[in-house]
Structure formats: C-alpha cells, structure tokens
Amino acid sequence: MLGAIRVEARGDSGLEANAAAVLLDAIRREFGDVGSVPTFNDAHGSGHIPLLMVEHAGGLADARGL
C-alpha cells in the first residue's frame, strides 16, 4: 500500500507522509494498535481488507482537507 502511495504522490514527500499517516489512522480506528501499514498489510492473505482501509483513509483525508 505504501508503494502505491509513493507512486501517486509523485515525489511530493509531504503528501506521501500525510497519506501514510491517514492510512495508519484509518487502520488503527478499525483494528486498534497496529504497528505499521506494512505489518497490517502482511497480516492479511488477500488485498480485500487492506483496500477497504485505503477507501476509509480516502474519506478521512477528504474530511481533513488533504
């Protein structure tokens, strides 16, 4: 997931950091204390749940004006 964020940020490290932080926040809201985005992603056998978290993160980012 972080690789996709990096590609979409197109070299904007601030945007990349904000997106990663919002994604981790979305994950923690649903699953509690998750250490990192890669740890969360690796814990799932398919991409279904991680992609749902990307969708939730999009809503959070929008709400935050990012």
Side-chain angles (χ1 to χ4, degrees):
M1 293 188 298
L2 293 179
I5 289 172
R6 186 170 294 117
V7 168
E8 290 298 318
R10 296 185 179 116
D12 184 337
S13 60
L15 178 60
E16 184 179 337
N18 284 338
V22 170
L23 178 56
L24 186 57
D25 186 29
I27 291 168
R28 286 180 172 162
R29 285 175 180 229
E30 293 288 324
F31 294 93
D33 189 24
V34 175
S36 68
V37 172
T39 300
F40 174 80
N41 196 34
D42 291 346
H44 293 84
S46 75
H48 180 74
I49 299 297
L51 286 175
L52 284 175
M53 291 300 95
V54 171
E55 184 179 341
H56 288 278
L60 284 175
D62 184 50
R64 295 176 184 180
L66 301 174

